[in-house]
Amino acid sequence: MIKSMTGFGISSQDLGNVKYTVELKSLNSKFLELSIKLPRTFAEKEFELRNECSRLIDRGKVNLSFTIEQNEVKNTAASIDVVLLQHYLQQLKEVSSKVNEPASNLLQLAVGLPDVVKYTEEKASEDEWKTVKQVFNKAVEAFQQFRSDEGNMLENDLKLRINNILENLSKVAIEEPARIVTIKERLNNFLAEAIGRENIDQNRFEQELIYYIDKLDITEEKIRLKTHCDYFLETLKSADANGKKLGFIAQEIGREVNTLGSKANNAIIQKLVVGMKEELEKIKEQLLNVL
């Protein structure tokens, strides 16, 4: 069972005075690219969340956001460092006196200087974090379900494409016997026109024909292509994340299809090979989004 790297999950919990919401979004990526947006009260939990996401999500370009909605506005207490403020004011007065500038609005300027006004940031309690963690877990559950549902659609499409390749391969097997006869007749007619039929050494002709046809033999390519396609379908059923593995198998399928086309020497088989290549390109596009 494959999963898509595209995912979405959201969960909320309203406690009356506060509402917590966790949202997860992901797109395809070769690695895990995680962006986390946390309220300051939970900033110290970022490392824990990153570890959890690495364990649960595996791959993808992921955006994780936490929001807190307070029904009652909390006034965050602010404190003024009076000693530092006086120090700044004294320095500003001395400077203004030396440069002969008016000493108006010095207090306003001093208040805006570093570390004069300090805000006390509240830290979340362990009970609050447990609540948020539960919301996070539910969001991840919804996110994974989304990935699984998308994966089911991808799996069905990939199976269809592989079966289309196998169907074309079976048609190649039907055309192959006539292909050998056609090659033999074409070479025989070419020699007859070039040197005359009576001048053809049939024994030598048969020897050369066997060598030539052996070079164009596609038996191994057909067997390997069938094996790779079967392995692809088998890997689709695995419980593990196999996007990369399926990509490697698709590359092997492509090699066999290309070799089959180069050896075909037959218009009908070439057409079937083109159809295989079209299906394989669609498979590769879909695999970019498989976990």
Side-chain angles (χ1 to χ4, degrees):
M1 182 72 68
I2 63 172
K3 289 184 178 181
S4 169
M5 270 193 282
T6 300
F8 176 77
I10 187 170
S11 180
S12 298
Q13 185 164 349
D14 194 339
L15 302 179
N17 61 327
V18 62
K19 181 180 179 181
Y20 300 111
T21 302
V22 178
E23 184 178 281
L24 271 166
K25 296 179 183 178
S26 73
L27 297 172
N28 60 311
S29 175
K30 290 183 178 180
F31 311 100
L32 177 61
E33 299 178 52
L34 184 59
S35 174
I36 299 180
K37 183 180 178 182
L38 277 175
R40 289 184 178 181
T41 51
F42 295 106
E44 63 182 19
K45 301 296 183 180
E46 181 173 346
F47 184 73
E48 179 180 341
L49 286 170
R50 285 190 177 275
N51 287 338
E52 280 291 286
C53 289
S54 298
R55 183 177 65 86
L56 297 170
I57 296 175
D58 192 51
R59 280 201 300 151
K61 186 175 183 180
V62 182
N63 288 313
L64 170 62
S65 64
F66 286 68
T67 56
I68 301 175
E69 297 176 46
Q70 300 280 357
N71 292 333
E72 296 179 1
V73 179
K74 288 185 177 181
N75 293 321
T76 304
S79 60
I80 298 175
D81 190 328
V82 178
V83 175
L84 184 60
L85 177 61
Q86 290 174 337
H87 177 69
Y88 281 144
L89 279 172
Q90 183 61 36
Q91 285 189 316
L92 289 171
K93 288 177 181 178
E94 291 176 1
V95 170
S96 62
S97 175
K98 288 180 180 180
V99 296
N100 294 322
E101 288 291 331
S104 59
N105 298 325
L106 291 185
L107 179 61
Q108 182 179 351
L109 182 60
V111 169
L113 291 174
D115 300 324
V116 173
V117 180
K118 297 180 180 179
Y119 294 91
T120 304
E121 293 182 359
E122 293 184 359
K123 288 187 177 181
S125 66
E126 282 304 312
D127 288 338
E128 287 179 295
W129 174 240
K130 286 179 181 178
T131 301
V132 172
K133 192 69 181 296
Q134 290 174 355
V135 178
F136 168 75
N137 289 334
K138 289 180 180 178
V140 171
E141 185 178 340
F143 173 82
Q144 299 289 34
Q145 186 59 51
F146 188 101
R147 278 186 155 187
S148 294
D149 294 340
E150 288 282 314
N152 286 335
M153 290 188 288
L154 286 172
E155 183 177 348
N156 291 333
D157 186 72
L158 291 169
K159 285 180 179 177
L160 174 65
R161 305 297 176 192
I162 290 293
N163 286 326
N164 287 343
I165 291 175
L166 289 171
E167 183 180 351
N168 277 11
L169 182 59
S170 66
K171 292 177 181 178
V172 168
I174 295 172
E175 293 295 329
E176 191 177 5
R179 162 179 169 265
I180 301 301
V181 174
T182 302
I183 292 172
K184 182 176 180 179
E185 289 178 353
R186 189 165 67 240
L187 290 174
N188 204 357
N189 292 334
F190 175 77
L191 286 174
E193 292 178 6
I195 62 174
R197 195 171 298 277
E198 67 280 359
N199 296 321
I200 298 176
D201 184 338
Q202 288 299 324
N203 289 333
R204 178 65 183 276
F205 175 71
E206 292 294 336
Q207 291 175 1
E208 295 294 337
L209 184 63
I210 291 171
Y211 175 79
Y212 182 68
I213 290 176
D214 183 62
K215 290 292 184 183
L216 297 179
D217 182 65
I218 57 174
T219 303
E220 289 186 14
E221 284 73 19
K222 290 190 300 178
I223 293 173
R224 285 198 293 262
L225 180 54
K226 174 70 165 57
T227 301
H228 292 327
C229 288
D230 290 343
Y231 187 36
F232 189 98
L233 293 174
E234 179 185 336
T235 305
L236 279 176
K237 300 175 185 177
S238 174
D240 299 326
N242 279 317
K244 291 181 179 179
K245 186 175 182 179
L246 290 169
F248 296 144
I249 300 172
Q251 289 179 4
E252 295 302 316
I253 291 173
R255 289 191 181 95
E256 300 306 327
V257 170
N258 287 333
T259 306
L260 194 65
S262 65
K263 287 185 173 183
N265 205 20
N266 177 279
I268 296 176
I269 293 179
Q270 287 282 10
K271 186 176 179 180
L272 293 170
V273 167
V274 169
M276 292 182 193
K277 289 182 177 181
E278 289 177 349
E279 296 297 329
L280 186 59
E281 283 303 309
K282 293 173 183 176
I283 287 171
K284 289 179 178 179
E285 288 176 9
Q286 294 287 42
L287 287 179
L288 292 175
N289 201 34
V290 174
L291 186 63

